[in-house]
Each structure stands twice: as C-alpha cells, then as structure tokens.
C-alpha cells in the first residue's frame, strides 16, 4: 500500500485520515501541543521534524508517497515547511485548505493583522472581551488589563494571564450558535477576538455575535504556500486518490 503522511492537529485531518485509512498506509503527524489529543484512529507520530530539512528527511526515510498538509490555517510555519520539504524530497503534496468565513450583512468585523493590533483597537474604555484564541496569542492582552476577559481554550492557560479579571472555560469544539449566544449573553460580552478558521465547528460565536451586534476583531489569515488544495475532507480525499492513482 502507498504511504501517506498527514500533517494534522485539526478535526479535518483526523477525519481525512479516517477516510483514507484502509486503502492507504496513513500516518498522522501532531506537533504535540495539546495535552490530551483525541484518539486519531490511525498511527500517530508526535513532535516537530526539525524544519523543512527534517521533514524532507522523514519523507525520504519513510518512503512517503503523498504528503497532505491538513494543519490549521494559522499554522504557517509547518505549511511552509511542508511545501519546501515536498519539493526537496520530490514527493507530491496536497493540502486541505478550508475557505475563510466571509463577512455577512450585520457582521461588525474589524480585520486585524495580529492579536496585538486587536489589543490596541479595543481602546482604553474597559470592555468585556471573549478571546477565542490559542495560548500563544493570549499574552498581548496582558498589556490591556482594564478589560474583563472570557477565555476559552482546549488546554488550561498556564500560567494564567496577568490581568485582574479573566474567566477561563475549558472546552473543545464544535460549538453551536445557540450555546455561544448564551455564553456571550451570560458574560455580557461586547467584543470578540477570533481567527478566521473557516468551517462550521467554531462559527457559532461569529453567528451569535452578528445576532447580538457584538463587535468582532478578526485576525487575518497568514499567507500559505500554493499547493493543490481541497476545500473540505471529501474534496481532499478525491485529490489524494487522483495523486496516487496507478
Ligand atoms: P506552526 O507555527 O506552523 O509550527 C511550528 C512548528 O511546530 C513547526 O515548524 C514544526 O516544527 C512543528 N509542527 C507544527 N505542526 C506540526 C505537525 N502537524 N506535525 C509535526 N510538527 C508540527 O504551528 P502552530 O501554529 O504552532 O500549530 C501547531 C499545531 O497545532 C499544528 O498541528 C496545527 O494544525 C494545530 N493547530 C494550530 C492552531 C493555530 O491557531 N495555530 C489552531 C488549531 C490547531 P519543526 O519545524 O521542528 O518540524
């Protein structure tokens, strides 16, 4: 059977692996950030490769026939490494690139380059801010300790942010619009800072914000290398089948 390496860390990657397993030898690669990742259903390897060169060596040593980048759209380093390594090792590569959410009528979006830019734009007046961000992106908010923060993450934020008013919720998506609307209302949220992840699993807060008139600071997506891409799991399965057709 042909070997596929999927760069994962997303629900899409897990589903993709499940759909390709059986017909192909599939290995899923995780960075190792999440303390208790959900079961992936296929063999998993964990940890960085050591840059593009390390990944290229892995592709050669393990006789990988197809590399699939199914990482999160904000994981720009590994995506850049994937494209470079595939070229160096002469291994075909495809990607699962979920389309970004588009602004809808009624959305109160401000597009920002980074979490730090959002911190500045929140302003001096104390606000109640929902941060739907990973641990790494939370630190800039310590510079704006006048706001009350509601922080939702998969793993505990350790150490907690050095701000006087922060509430932490541990939860793993998918999240519904009704659930997120209740959350925004219960905590009196008047601003959200979010990535533009695309897909339905984390769209609840965006739809709820629209319904409630809550302002959303959307962090722009980083540029990613141009690989043949599927917009969802099924389209990426078809691309993989095509790439590995005898
Ligand atoms: P990143 O900045 O693009 O990558 C940093 C380094 O982590 C890479 O250079 C690589 O190390 C290692 N790495 C990343 N993804 C890997 C993978 N799937 N398998 C093996 N090594 C990996 O990535 P990130 O933004 O920190 O994201 C890390 C992981 O979390 C990714 O798997 C991503 O899909 C997932 N994730 C990220 C976000 C997000 O918002 N960034 C959200 C949800 C899930 P080496 O250079 O040593 O190979």
């Amino acid at each position: 059977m042909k070997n596929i390496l999927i760069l994962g860390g997303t629900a899409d990657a897990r589903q993709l692996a499940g759909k390709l397993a059986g017909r192909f030898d599939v290995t899923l690669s995780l960075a190792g950030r999440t303390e208790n990742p959900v079961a992936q259903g296929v063999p998993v390897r964990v940890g960085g490769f050591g840059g593009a060169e390390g990944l290229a060596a892995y592709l050669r040593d393990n006789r990988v026939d197809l590399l699939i980048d199914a990482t999160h759209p904000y994981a720009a380093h590994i995506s850049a490494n994937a494209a470079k390594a595939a070229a160096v090792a002469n291994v075909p590569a495809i990607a699962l690139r979920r389309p970004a959410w588009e602004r809808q009528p009624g959305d109160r979006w401000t597009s920002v380059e980074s979490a730090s830019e959002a911190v500045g734009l929140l302003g001096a007046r104390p606000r109640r801010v929902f941060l739907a961000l990973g641990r790494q992106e939370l630190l800039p908010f310590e510079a704006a300790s006048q706001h009350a923060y509601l922080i939702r993450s998969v793993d505990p934020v350790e150490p907690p942010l050095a701000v006087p008013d922060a509430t932490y919720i541990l939860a793993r998506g998918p999240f519904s619009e009704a659930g997120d609307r209740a959350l925004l209302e219960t905590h009196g949220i008047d601003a959200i800072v979010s990535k533009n992840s695309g897909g339905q699993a984390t769209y609840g807060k965006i739809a709820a914000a629209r319904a409630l008139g809550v302002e959303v600071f959307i962090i722009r997506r980083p540029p990613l290398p141009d690989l043949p891409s599927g917009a969802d799991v099924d389209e990426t399965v078809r691309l993989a089948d095509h790439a590995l057709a005898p």
Side-chain angles (χ1 to χ4, degrees), residues 72 93 108-109 114 147 191:
H72 191 271
R108 291 181 59 213
W109 284 12
S114 62
H147 306 303

Side-chain angles (χ1 to χ4, degrees), residues 213-232:
V214 170
E215 187 175 9
V216 183
F217 295 89
I218 296 264
I219 302 172
R220 282 192 286 282
R221 286 187 170 196
L224 298 175
D226 194 16
L227 292 178
S229 303
D232 57 24

Side-chain angles (χ1 to χ4, degrees), residues 103-110 127 190 192 209-210 212-218:
R103 188 191 298 259
Q104 303 296 321
D107 279 332
R108 291 181 59 213
W109 284 12
T110 301
R127 303 181 69 171
D190 62 59
I192 298 176
R210 180 187 312 132
L212 297 172
V214 170
E215 187 175 9
V216 183
F217 295 89
I218 296 264

